[in-house]
Every structure is written in C-alpha cells, then in structure tokens.
Amino acid sequence: MKREDLLIKELNLQAHPEGGFYKETYRSEGVILEKHLPENFEGSRNYCTSIYFLLKTNEFSAFHRINQDENWYFHEGSSLTIHQISPDGIYTKTVLGSTILEGEVFQHTVPKNYWFGATVNQPDSYSLVGCTVSPGFDFKDFELANSKQLQKKFPDHKIIIEELTR
Ligand code: GUN
C-alpha cells in the first residue's frame, strides 16, 4: 500500500469537501457564545479546533474561505503550496515544508476571509499537514468558491482560479 493510503487508513481520514482527506484531532471543550463573537458568526463556537489534512499529488484543495485565521503546520511528505488571494485581490503563495534553508516554512497563517487552496509540489507524492483554527471550525463559516464568480471578481488571477476550482 502507498504510504499516503496507509496514513489515510491509520489516521482514519475522511474526504473533505475542498479536496484531500482530514480528521479532526482536537476540539476544545470551552465555548465562545455568539454574543462574544464578531457579527458574521452564527451561533456559538468552541475555542479552537485542529485537524490532520492530507493532500495527494494531482489533487488540490479548492479555493475556499473561512471566517477565522487558519494556522497550517507541516508534518511529512512533499512540500505543499498554499495559494491565497486577499479580499483586495493580491495573490501570494507560500511553500509549507521542511527545507527551510530554501524558503520553505514549517508554519503558515492564512488570514481570515482570504480565498485559499493548496497543491502538492512533488510528483507521485502527498503532503500531510495540520490545520488549526480559533474560534473552532464550523461548516457554517466555510465557503467553497464558485469558479466563474471568483474569476469575475479577480480577473488577473483567472488561471490559478480555474486550476483550483471544480
Ligand atoms: N474541520 C473540518 N474542516 C476543516 C478545515 O478545513 N479546517 C479546519 N481547521 N478544521 C476543519
């Protein structure tokens, strides 16, 4: 069995709607009440959540956005590129990996409300990373991009948007 499929099995990862496979590994007991959260949150949220996230080569994490910052941590496998577009249309990419002398980073924060997706850098490989958000994750805060709408909003980034949407 390929190592990525072994990891999916051993870590009990499930398919994620953005692409790739994930499992929640932590959800804090503590809850932040809706009245203490910014207005765009509907309902209460746990303080914090963490997941494993595994992406295979030739797959992608599609452009999506959430209401809170997301911290990414490299675990193993190929380096992974995080592609992000800020709300005012600036595209940047960050390589999450372990070759820090060549500009890769072990950790990266995607700011809240940025559109972001990810791709694996090495052929025939995978990336295993961790993602943590606070307030804790809820699919109510998660929006997958509509390809045509995002291309219309950010025409300068049409090619990468076409690549990272379904
Ligand atoms: N739980 C389910 N999906 C996600 C996700 O995309 N990010 C984080 N941090 N937690 C999740």
Side-chain angles (χ1 to χ4, degrees):
M1 199 187 261
K2 283 180 141 181
R3 175 141 179 100
E4 51 268 44
D5 293 318
L6 205 69
L7 287 167
I8 290 170
K9 189 159 171 263
E10 279 306 308
L11 299 175
N12 197 18
L13 308 183
Q14 308 297 319
H16 198 287
E18 77 195 49
F21 298 85
Y22 80 111
K23 179 167 183 237
E24 194 170 274
T25 52
Y26 172 70
R27 177 168 289 267
S28 51
E29 260 180 48
V31 166
I32 313 168
L33 297 176
E34 181 174 13
K35 65 181 177 192
H36 298 301
L37 288 165
E39 271 188 359
N40 51 344
F41 286 85
E42 242 180 61
S44 58
R45 296 287 181 277
N46 298 92
Y47 294 157
C48 178
T49 57
S50 283
I51 57 168
Y52 284 128
F53 181 65
L54 185 145
L55 192 61
K56 296 180 179 182
T57 305
N58 299 331
E59 298 184 359
F60 59 86
S61 157
F63 272 116
H64 62 286
R65 64 179 173 184
I66 56 177
N67 287 341
Q68 55 277 76
D69 299 340
E70 183 162 64
N71 292 314
W72 288 59
Y73 305 91
F74 181 74
H75 289 325
E76 68 156 64
S78 167
S79 64
L80 165 143
T81 299
I82 300 169
H83 307 259
Q84 57 186 48
I85 303 174
S86 69
D88 51 3
I90 310 291
Y91 168 81
T92 49
K93 58 184 176 178
T94 302
V95 181
L96 201 71
S98 57
T99 313
I100 56 168
L101 297 183
E102 288 176 24
E104 297 179 4
V105 294
F106 284 121
Q107 302 189 1
H108 176 67
T109 303
V110 178
K112 67 181 175 189
N113 304 138
Y114 276 44
W115 292 101
F116 64 105
T119 49
V120 175
N121 295 331
Q122 284 173 18
D124 193 22
S125 187
Y126 69 94
S127 304
L128 179 68
V129 303
C131 301
T132 294
V133 292
S134 176
F137 188 87
D138 188 305
F139 276 103
K140 281 185 201 147
D141 306 321
F142 173 92
E143 185 187 1
L144 262 182
N146 173 291
S147 189
K148 287 279 174 276
Q149 280 174 14
L150 205 62
Q151 288 174 45
K152 201 168 163 203
K153 190 155 187 211
F154 302 121
D156 289 353
H157 309 310
K158 183 176 163 47
I159 291 169
I160 190 70
I161 294 169
E162 275 174 343
E163 269 176 38
L164 299 188
T165 50
R166 282 172 243 280

